């Protein structure tokens, strides 16, 4: 495939993109030529934080009346007990993957709850991972209730890694005690070192400014000289930290090279539920972290589940919310905000060959936009190209 007259992002050069055997090449002997007429062609989106196992389970029995994280968790537990099985899970997961693909996502990192003794969801998700062609799928073994609230949870997490999960998940703020939260972070590093995995945590997803597990997550990486990647999802408590502490801990996050994933759709919905007015927004400090050089991405988190009744699977929706919540709409920030669902997200995912250069994977989104901001403003229909094949659009 040859894409002619592409406006590149962020350099704004007019280039031709030649894709051969799935990768960007110097030449292409294929005769599929698309002239995109100097519109923007961007490298594909990466979705770094989503829960495919709970996508589309929302129905009348699962209405989250309080709108809190806690009620969402208990509704999910009810669903797992009464309805979850491999075939219905597969149907929902594939529907969500197709939605994401059609929006231009070709890399997905999904959490899978591994607190079920049979590991039903994990085993089915592993099968799906091996079958899907249009996305690279990564699995985070996520203990929804923490590691030490139930006696079996840390064993189940370890079993999940043995079964092939890519990332060690944790949620230290959901442990019963502060000490167990600390222990969960150390356990995550121990397991990641033992099985040569990366770490991908739900960290400080609360409005409680006393929740400061991010500092240990960062410091432990430095102390252990841990070579794998470490991602911290949510960090909503940071919204409520005092400015002096926030500044100090953001410096530590930058030094430790932690990848941060903010999920503004769900956190604008779930946070601030224990406030009266004024009500906090509860989205982490994206702008300050970008200023400190932290690699920040934006995630979708949920699609129509007990934590979030909406969700289109479009990274542009999540980015749109982040732009408002922070806010991030200075001309420069707005123009470069796509980085958080393209380059930054691909880096956190560990994508080795990403972008326009020779050898990059041939995954692109062809838009009708003449500049990056138009992509967000107009949300034109998109053509999606995966390894040199058109998988959406004509
Ligand atoms: Fe999450």
């Amino acid at each position: 495939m040859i894409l002619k007259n592409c406006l590149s992002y962020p350099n704004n050069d007019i280039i031709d993109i030649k894709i051969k055997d799935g990768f960007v090449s110097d030449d292409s002997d294929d005769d599929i030529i698309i002239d995109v007429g100097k519109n923007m062609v961007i490298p594909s989106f990466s979705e770094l934080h989503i829960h495919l196992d709970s996508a589309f389970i929302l129905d009348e029995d699962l209405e989250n009346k309080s709108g809190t994280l806690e009620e969402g968790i208990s509704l999910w537990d009810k669903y797992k007990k009464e309805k979850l099985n491999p075939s219905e899970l597969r149907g929902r997961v594939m529907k969500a993957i197709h939605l994401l693909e059609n929006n231009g996502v070709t890399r997905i990192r999904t959490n899978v709850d591994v607190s079920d003794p049979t590991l039903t969801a994990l085993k089915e998700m592993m099968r799906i991972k091996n079958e899907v062609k249009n996305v690279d799928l990564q699995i985070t073994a996520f203990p929804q209730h923490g590691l030490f609230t139930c006696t079996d949870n840390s064993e189940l997490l370890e079993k999940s890694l043995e079964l092939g999960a890519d990332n060690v998940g944790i949620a230290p703020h959901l442990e019963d005690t502060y000490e167990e939260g600390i222990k969960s972070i150390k356990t995550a590093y121990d397991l990641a070192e033992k099985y040569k995995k990366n770490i991908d945590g739900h960290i400080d997803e609360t409005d409680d400014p006393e929740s400061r597990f991010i500092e240990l997550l960062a410091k432990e990486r430095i102390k252990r000289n841990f070579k794998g990647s470490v991602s911290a999802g949510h960090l909503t408590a940071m919204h409520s930290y005092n400015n002096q502490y926030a500044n100090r801990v953001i410096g530590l996050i930058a030094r430790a090279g932690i990848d941060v994933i903010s999920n503004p759709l769900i956190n604008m919905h779930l946070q601030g539920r224990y406030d009266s007015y004024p009500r906090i927004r509860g989205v982490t400090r994206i702008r300050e972290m970008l200023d400190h050089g932290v690699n920040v991405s934006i995630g979708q988190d949920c699609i129509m589940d007990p934590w979030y009744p909406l969700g289109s699977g479009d990274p542009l929706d999540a980015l749109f919310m982040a732009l408002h919540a922070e806010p991030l709409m200075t001309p420069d920030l707005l123009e470069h905000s796509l980085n958080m669902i393209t380059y930054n997200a691909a880096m956190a995912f560990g994508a080795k060959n990403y972008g326009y250069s020779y050898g990059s994977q041939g995954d692109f989104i062809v838009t009708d936009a003449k500049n990056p901001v138009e992509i967000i403003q107009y949300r034109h229909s998109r053509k999606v190209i995966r390894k040199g094949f058109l998988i959406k659009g004509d």
Side-chain angles (χ1 to χ4, degrees):
M1 174 178 278
I2 302 175
L3 300 168
K4 289 184 80 70
N5 289 315
C6 307
L7 182 59
S8 71
Y9 170 79
N11 290 345
N12 294 317
D13 297 325
I14 299 293
I15 57 171
D16 292 344
I17 302 169
K18 298 169 182 171
I19 305 170
K20 189 175 182 180
D21 300 327
F23 294 88
V24 176
S25 176
D26 290 335
D27 65 86
S28 170
D29 48 18
D30 210 314
D31 55 10
I32 301 171
I33 298 174
I34 303 176
D35 190 329
V36 305
K38 299 185 180 173
N39 289 333
M40 295 222 82
V41 176
I42 60 174
S44 63
F45 297 141
S46 302
E47 174 52 60
L48 262 287
H49 187 119
I50 197 161
H51 297 254
L52 293 179
D53 55 353
S54 60
F56 298 111
I57 66 169
L58 193 68
D59 64 25
E60 283 171 24
D61 293 345
L62 296 171
E63 193 188 336
N64 185 338
K65 294 190 174 64
S66 66
T68 58
L69 174 71
E70 292 79 6
E71 187 175 346
I73 293 173
S74 63
L75 291 167
W76 168 234
D77 285 343
K78 178 173 147 71
Y79 185 88
K80 281 189 292 182
K81 209 163 134 202
E82 294 173 3
K83 296 187 180 161
L84 189 130
N85 68 59
S87 69
E88 68 81 29
L89 174 110
R90 169 175 287 262
R92 293 185 289 100
V93 168
M94 293 311 294
K95 184 174 165 184
I97 289 175
H98 288 139
L99 201 57
L100 288 154
E101 275 170 23
N102 281 337
N103 286 315
V105 175
T106 64
R107 279 162 230 86
I108 302 172
R109 177 189 284 172
T110 184
N111 288 278
V112 181
D113 185 0
V114 294
S115 53
D116 146 38
T118 63
L119 294 175
T120 303
L122 179 85
K123 288 173 184 168
E124 191 60 19
M125 197 72 83
M126 293 296 303
R127 284 191 275 273
I128 293 170
K129 176 183 166 165
N130 292 328
E131 290 167 21
V132 288
K133 296 278 184 287
N134 288 340
V135 292
D136 300 320
L137 189 59
Q138 226 177 61
I139 294 174
T140 295
F142 172 54
Q144 177 68 78
H145 293 272
L147 283 186
F148 304 110
T149 53
C150 310
T151 47
D152 294 340
N153 281 4
S154 49
E155 284 80 18
L156 287 167
L157 176 60
E158 184 157 6
K159 181 90 190 297
S160 304
L161 302 173
E162 285 167 359
L163 287 170
D166 301 285
N167 307 311
V168 183
I170 38 168
H173 56 283
L174 294 179
E175 302 290 350
D176 287 331
T177 66
Y178 178 74
E179 283 70 22
E180 287 179 341
I182 298 290
K183 196 173 150 198
S184 76
I185 293 174
K186 294 189 172 171
T187 303
Y189 275 100
D190 290 344
L191 290 172
E193 285 171 346
K194 181 175 173 187
Y195 291 95
K196 297 197 171 10
K197 305 284 183 180
N198 297 318
I199 294 174
D200 173 32
H202 283 62
I203 308 294
D204 301 319
E205 189 186 6
T206 164
D207 297 330
D208 177 6
E210 304 294 316
S211 185
R212 296 178 170 190
F213 291 108
I214 182 58
E215 63 183 21
L216 182 68
L217 187 79
K219 185 66 186 186
E220 201 69 7
R221 185 178 196 212
I222 297 169
K223 260 181 18 198
R224 294 183 185 225
N225 194 21
F226 178 71
K227 297 294 184 202
S229 81
V230 180
S231 297
H234 297 289
L235 297 184
T236 53
M238 189 188 287
H239 185 101
S240 303
Y241 293 161
N242 69 66
N243 288 340
Q244 184 165 11
Y245 176 70
N247 185 64
R248 189 165 73 77
V249 82
I250 288 171
L252 180 61
I253 294 168
R255 246 193 313 139
I258 303 286
D259 296 308
V260 169
I261 299 128
S262 175
N263 304 294
L265 291 171
I266 183 172
N267 288 132
M268 281 294 281
H269 171 60
L270 292 181
Q271 307 314 123
R273 292 287 176 169
Y274 297 92
D275 287 355
S276 56
Y277 288 92
R279 196 183 287 275
I280 64 160
R281 301 188 190 204
V283 172
T284 196
R285 301 187 184 208
I286 296 171
R287 187 172 180 159
E288 291 181 19
M289 284 192 274
L290 290 173
D291 286 347
H292 277 76
V294 175
N295 186 48
V296 182
S297 308
I298 303 289
Q300 184 86 198
D301 207 3
C302 295
I303 299 177
M304 298 177 216
D305 68 13
W307 294 278
Y308 188 62
L310 305 177
S312 63
D314 188 349
L316 287 174
D317 273 359
L319 177 63
F320 190 80
M321 181 61 82
L323 294 170
H324 291 78
E326 258 290 78
L328 293 166
M329 281 192 262
T330 63
D332 183 56
L333 284 169
L334 191 53
E335 184 176 333
H336 293 97
S337 64
L338 281 177
N339 285 352
M340 292 189 283
I341 51 176
T342 56
Y343 293 97
N344 296 10
M347 193 194 299
F349 189 86
K352 297 267 184 298
N353 309 303
Y354 183 78
Y356 303 95
S357 57
Y358 180 88
S360 298
Q361 193 162 292
D363 294 6
F364 293 94
I365 302 169
V366 178
T367 77
D368 292 337
K370 295 294 182 193
N371 62 61
V373 180
E374 275 192 13
I375 294 176
I376 306 164
Q377 286 168 328
Y378 290 100
R379 318 267 190 102
H380 294 122
S381 63
R382 295 155 232 174
K383 288 187 178 69
V384 181
I385 290 159
R386 163 75 169 172
K387 294 186 177 173
F389 288 95
L390 191 64
I391 60 166
K392 194 238 171 178
D394 44 37

